[in-house]
Amino acid sequence: MVVRSSSPEETRRLAGRLGRLVVACDVVLLGGDLGAGKTTFTQGLARALGVKEPVTSPTFTLMRSYHGTGGLQLLHADVYRLEYLQEIMDLGLPELLEEGAAAVVEWGDRAAPALLADYLEIRIEFGEEDDERILHVRPVGARWDARKEQLAQALAVQDSTWIAQAQP
Ligand code: ADP
Ligand code: MG
């Protein structure tokens, strides 16, 4: 599934629509180069989950924790170097997910992470215009495969341009 965003706020709104599908134990993996909009996306997702604190880049802390509505703990990590994934694992990401947290991981590497079996992958590419971004949304694993239709619905909004949908 591919969708175009033409502003930071539009990316936050799209993230919010996807964020409403996020439940305990979910992982959202954000791919894309520096400045693509991964943190911006996370802000919209967190807002939709009821996080009131401002969401900033976790670059120097590796992982931050926020509280959403309904007691959901939202973790936000930035793995812009591959070795940080191991550090985040060591910080207890798998255990926190097991206990019911949800996680958004900014992923600087192109290779898919071997340590995670189920995740929603959002790859953000730069478009032709300054504020244009192309979001590639891909469910990976059974947890997210089961939500394909809801994902498609969440992305089919009037104010964003629906570019293409992968054949089932
Ligand atoms: P990353 O976390 O991927 O490094 P950030 O979200 O921190 O990226 O930064 C993205 C930058 O690009 C922000 O300054 C944001 O305002 C800008 N921007 C411009 N257009 C968009 C868009 N359509 N979506 C997301 N960010 C955008
Ligand atoms: Mg970032």
Side-chain angles (χ1 to χ4, degrees):
M1 291 173 256
V2 182
V3 69
R4 178 188 294 133
S5 161
S6 52
S7 70
E9 191 48 34
E10 193 177 348
T11 295
R12 289 191 194 95
R13 271 204 306 275
L14 281 165
R17 294 179 63 91
L18 292 173
R20 271 174 234 122
L21 301 179
V22 169
V23 296
C25 316
D26 276 344
V27 176
V28 176
L29 197 69
L30 299 175
D33 292 337
L34 194 70
K38 302 182 293 296
T39 301
T40 302
F41 184 98
T42 307
Q43 290 165 350
L45 187 145
R47 188 171 66 191
L49 291 175
V51 173
K52 299 279 183 276
E53 306 121 272
V55 171
T56 53
S57 175
T59 300
F60 298 107
T61 49
L62 290 183
M63 190 156 77
R64 281 179 207 261
S65 172
Y66 298 94
H67 290 277
T69 44
L72 183 74
Q73 182 183 16
L74 180 68
L75 303 167
H76 180 203
D78 192 344
V79 187
Y80 66 100
R81 283 164 59 178
L82 195 56
E83 56 262 41
Y84 291 159
L85 181 61
Q86 192 55 53
E87 285 186 43
I88 283 162
M89 292 298 180
D90 295 345
L91 284 171
L93 180 67
E95 291 79 11
L96 290 164
L97 286 168
E98 241 165 66
E99 287 163 19
V104 178
V105 180
E106 297 191 28
W107 183 253
D109 212 89
R110 297 208 176 270
L115 292 165
L116 296 169
D118 293 85
Y119 53 89
L120 180 67
E121 180 191 83
I122 322 269
R123 202 160 38 79
I124 310 176
E125 285 176 353
F126 292 93
E128 283 171 15
E129 313 285 327
D130 276 355
D131 285 354
E132 186 183 331
R133 299 290 189 274
I134 312 296
L135 282 70
H136 299 257
V137 179
R138 185 170 72 103
V140 176
R143 276 185 74 86
W144 282 103
D145 252 356
R147 280 174 273 178
K148 261 186 186 157
E149 280 198 8
Q150 286 141 282
L151 286 168
Q153 270 171 22
L155 293 174
V157 282
Q158 277 187 336
D159 58 355
S160 61
T161 316
W162 183 234
I163 297 176
Q165 186 170 358
Q167 295 301 309

